Amino acid sequence: MRETLQRSSQEEARLGRPHEDDPQGTAGDGGPRSPSGEDARPKRTAQREAVFDNAKYLAIVLVAMGHAWEPLRGDSRAAAALYITVYTFHMPAFIIVSGYFSRNFDARPNRIRRLVTGVAVPYVVFEVAYSLFKRWADDDPGFAISLLDPWYLTWFLGALLIWRLTTPVWRVVRRPLPLALAVAALAAASPDIGDDLDLQRVLQFLPFFVLGLCLRPEHFHLVRRREARILSVPVFAIALAVAYWAAPRMNAAWFYRRDSAQELGAPGWTGAAMTFALFACSVVLVACFLAWVPRRTTWFTVLGAGTLYGYLLHGFLAKGSRFWDWYDHAWIHRPLGEIAVTVVAAAVMTLLCTPPVQRTFRFVMEPKMRWAFRQNAVDVAKARRSG
């Protein structure tokens, strides 16, 4: 019995024990600092395999590509098919990994502090920054600044804050995933929820976060098998074929999960049906995606620690490209132009995830804010011991 427990503990540590002070929901995004202010991130091998950072980087690159393809969908059915396929699984993959590394979250003061500085503060800063950017770049001086109505990408920070705070609830209920799916289905059929904190998205994406909370290392081993990688190829091919067929027939807004069925012009009952159907499709494609994520340390593994930086910063270029009519050039809507746009989006996102960018914007993304919190005796003692 003791040997079994030891093997289980070793396996948990090797494949991905949740980080205790990870504010942004995924280990590697804003690790803990020592009392002296220096980064105190533990060794990667002691916490998790490189696969999680690799997955985060690849998923965030797909987010950038999806935003780059959006204006091309009207002229290219292939771009529309790629857009639908990627939107089926890229954010679910990111949210599932976020949930997986949130399993140990509780309401201890140090974790609440990190949640405030690593999620709540960036939410406020970037919500204001995006609103001011829209006023200037879109020549819309009357655009309101509202912390209750997230604009563009900041919805994810608000959602992550809510999901993380509710983690203790999902840890104690008997069947968390079916309950989360029921909540999402009810939200998709409830047009009166409103736009405050983008609650439709918070509730409709909730099952993916809860699924991450429920996952264990052995579940990730299932997609590491050779059979899973082989099977993922025809699955993705089928997904692309279905998306190509559905592109002119289906409203892509279903994949954003920001509206109820009635707001999309469908009967209320379809909201529940689409919740379960899209959840199943997303989970299958996330598994296929993870099957091909490299397990070893690669040149982009280090970039997995900067995915939230890239996510929030690239939004200014993504929206600016629309405000400044970059897509009005005819060559962009030709095959070579579409390829160029895709490459540029991947390159920009890669650059924004690099350590120099992280160091530059850390004062916003991970502020220390010692002035805002009371020091407890443990922190004071650690600070004295560190010199």
Side-chain angles (χ1 to χ4, degrees), residues 214-245:
C214 297
L215 291 177
R216 294 294 179 266
E218 55 268 23
H219 298 128
F220 289 94
H221 277 298
L222 295 176
V223 298
R224 298 183 62 179
R225 299 170 61 179
R226 183 171 178 268
E227 295 88 342
R229 289 196 296 273
I230 294 174
L231 184 60
S232 66
V233 176
V235 171
F236 262 121
I238 292 171
L240 282 169
V242 172
Y244 190 84
W245 172 86

Side-chain angles (χ1 to χ4, degrees), residues 193-214:
I193 288 180
D195 296 327
D196 290 351
L197 295 178
D198 226 343
L199 278 180
Q200 277 288 359
R201 273 180 167 165
V202 173
L203 298 177
Q204 291 193 42
F205 274 115
L206 174 64
F208 299 103
F209 185 81
V210 175
L211 174 60
L213 293 175
C214 297

Side-chain angles (χ1 to χ4, degrees), residues 236-315:
F236 262 121
I238 292 171
L240 282 169
V242 172
Y244 190 84
W245 172 86
R249 299 174 174 87
M250 183 179 182
N251 188 347
W254 283 107
F255 298 93
Y256 306 153
R257 295 174 172 85
R258 67 186 177 199
D259 301 299
S260 66
Q262 294 91 329
E263 291 170 305
L264 297 178
W269 66 266
T270 60
M274 288 296 288
T275 295
F276 294 110
L278 289 178
F279 180 79
C281 293
S282 297
V283 170
V284 169
L285 290 185
V286 168
C288 293
F289 166 72
L290 292 175
W292 282 98
V293 171
R295 269 68 186 168
R296 66 186 184 281
T297 299
T298 67
W299 64 268
F300 57 79
T301 302
V302 66
L303 303 180
T307 50
L308 197 62
Y309 289 77
Y311 174 78
L312 291 172
L313 293 173
H314 95 282

Side-chain angles (χ1 to χ4, degrees), residues 53-120:
D53 280 333
N54 294 340
K56 287 165 55 188
Y57 165 75
L58 294 174
I60 213 66
V61 167
L62 290 174
V63 169
M65 289 180 175
H67 289 157
W69 292 334
E70 187 172 0
L72 305 174
R73 293 181 296 149
D75 300 318
S76 172
R77 192 169 176 178
L82 286 170
Y83 181 87
I84 289 175
T85 303
V86 165
Y87 264 73
T88 304
F89 74 90
H90 69 348
M91 284 307 294
F94 205 75
I95 294 169
I96 287 172
V97 174
S98 298
Y100 180 73
F101 282 101
S102 297
R103 291 180 295 158
N104 281 352
F105 179 82
D106 53 30
R108 291 197 324 212
N110 63 320
R111 295 181 180 176
I112 294 297
R113 284 198 297 269
R114 292 295 297 155
L115 190 61
V116 170
T117 58
V119 178

Side-chain angles (χ1 to χ4, degrees), residues 155-167:
W155 73 267
F156 179 73
L157 287 175
L160 189 57
L161 180 66
I162 294 171
W163 294 332
R164 200 74 185 273
L165 288 174
T166 62
T167 294

